[in-house]
Amino acid sequence: WILDRAPRPPLPPPPPGRRRLVLTSHRRESFGRGLEGICEAIRRLVERLGEALEVVVPVHPNPRVKEALEARLAGLPRVSLIPPLPYPAFVALMGSAYLVLSDSGGVQEEAPSLHKPVVVLRDKTERPEAIAAGCARLVGTEPAAIVDAVLALWHDRAAYRRMAGAANPFGDGRAAERIAGLLCGRAVEPFRPPVESR
């Protein structure tokens, strides 16, 4: 519903031959060393992938996050630090991405509906369903692990297609329809996650 009504992404689509990576990071456990590792991974990816990569970072307003991201990423070629976005614009931005890197629980649930693989920048997640379903990969904040995960999906089209095509274990967008059906006394087909949660 949001995609059908979303504005255009806040940035124009990448030019031919370039792919967009969207990064969000804001969790307290990433403050300090974690954010430093994430930023170092982005720096290495920009160096490795050159003109083929652009990175868009909606910067969380928390001063510790903002200062860390601006100190380490501002001025890098093809890295855009932008203000936080309204939800519809953020959905449109995710829709324009090739890949999403995030420590956000909500993004782990939403990006699979857009068929965007998620590299989860955390050591643990309260959404293991996404990992089990194959639409997200838990990598932590060490630069080498992040770079390896991104490059694997960048160069291995079959691996990318598997993640992008994995069913979203959090729902199929028909919850309201099912609730209304039950309230009206109709039989409904319940949502069945594609895999069992671990």
Side-chain angles (χ1 to χ4, degrees), residues 2-169:
I2 290 284
L3 275 180
D4 288 344
R5 292 157 180 78
R8 292 182 182 173
L11 297 171
R18 182 178 293 170
R19 299 176 191 161
R20 176 174 290 163
L21 185 154
V22 171
L23 165 68
T24 71
S25 184
H26 67 275
R27 297 186 68 85
R28 291 185 187 278
E29 63 259 35
S30 295
F31 290 1
R33 189 161 179 235
L35 274 171
E36 290 171 13
I38 292 166
C39 291
E40 174 60 18
I42 296 300
R43 189 190 64 74
R44 292 181 193 179
L45 287 165
V46 167
E47 288 179 359
R48 288 279 295 272
L49 296 171
E51 292 291 327
L53 170 69
E54 75 174 41
V55 181
V56 181
V57 188
V59 178
H60 195 276
N62 183 300
R64 295 198 51 193
V65 175
K66 189 173 183 197
E67 289 165 13
L69 293 176
E70 288 177 349
R72 291 168 178 82
L73 298 180
L76 283 179
R78 297 171 313 284
V79 175
S80 299
L81 303 179
I82 63 173
L85 298 171
Y87 184 69
F90 180 66
V91 170
L93 179 65
M94 280 197 298
S96 75
Y98 179 77
L99 188 60
V100 177
L101 275 67
S102 185
D103 59 13
S104 163
V107 169
Q108 291 176 64
E109 294 182 4
E110 296 158 342
S113 289
L114 303 171
H115 304 289
K116 304 299 175 181
V118 183
V119 174
V120 182
L121 306 173
R122 294 167 64 177
D123 294 321
K124 297 178 184 172
T125 179
E126 71 280 8
R127 289 166 174 85
E129 301 93 336
I131 310 302
C135 49
R137 182 171 171 198
L138 191 66
V139 301
T141 58
E142 289 299 318
I146 297 168
V147 170
D148 287 348
V150 169
L151 292 179
L153 291 167
W154 199 269
H155 296 301
D156 186 340
R157 297 293 291 171
Y160 180 87
R161 283 193 297 272
R162 280 193 301 275
M163 279 189 80
N168 187 343

